[in-house]
Amino acid sequence: MKLQPVYMIEELEQLKTVSDPLRYKVLLYLIEKAYTGQQLAKLLGMARAKVHYHLNELEKHGFITVIRTELKNGIVQKFYRAVARGFVPSEALLPYVSEVENYYRVA
């Protein structure tokens, strides 16, 4: 799967979702390669249920997607991957960004 270079965050709910420190960390792992929830739980040293909750939130808001599934011991494992290499809030969400950038550029 080829990742988009940049994913534009258009909604406030998406921004809230990705601003959670744990979700951000999970997203960084998933930019690098595909992982299952169980693999991520091991990497992060956390309960699988907690990691799956955050994976569901990231998937619901379009930051990650299931790229493949495998059947292992009668259990379907989902491999998640980020949809892009970078995530940027749209100007509609941060209307004063350009003014702030210009202020610091002048300073």
Side-chain angles (χ1 to χ4, degrees):
M1 176 189 149
K2 189 162 170 44
L3 274 62
Q4 300 174 33
V6 176
Y7 178 88
M8 192 65 64
I9 299 169
E10 300 288 348
E11 298 169 15
L12 188 57
E13 281 303 310
Q14 287 179 304
L15 194 56
K16 288 179 186 176
T17 299
V18 80
S19 63
D20 177 279
L22 177 59
R23 290 184 196 142
Y24 179 74
K25 200 173 200 178
V26 167
L27 196 52
L28 288 177
Y29 276 115
L30 296 176
I31 287 170
E32 294 303 315
K33 69 179 215 175
Y35 287 99
T36 65
Q38 185 171 358
Q39 291 170 330
L40 286 166
K42 240 182 220 178
L43 281 169
L44 297 165
M46 306 184 110
R48 208 169 27 173
K50 185 173 185 175
V51 171
H52 277 285
Y53 169 78
H54 291 289
L55 285 170
N56 287 335
E57 287 298 304
L58 288 167
E59 185 178 22
K60 181 170 79 174
H61 292 285
F63 293 105
I64 64 173
T65 188
V66 175
I67 60 161
R68 75 177 191 274
T69 57
E70 289 180 7
L71 193 60
K72 185 175 180 182
N73 301 328
I75 297 168
V76 176
Q77 292 186 322
K78 295 178 182 177
F79 285 81
Y80 296 91
R81 186 81 199 265
V83 297
R85 294 201 177 282
F87 298 86
V88 179
S90 71
E91 284 191 30
L93 284 178
L94 304 173
Y96 303 107
V97 166
S98 58
E99 290 176 29
V100 172
E101 283 175 353
N102 290 336
Y103 171 79
Y104 283 110
R105 207 173 280 144
V106 169

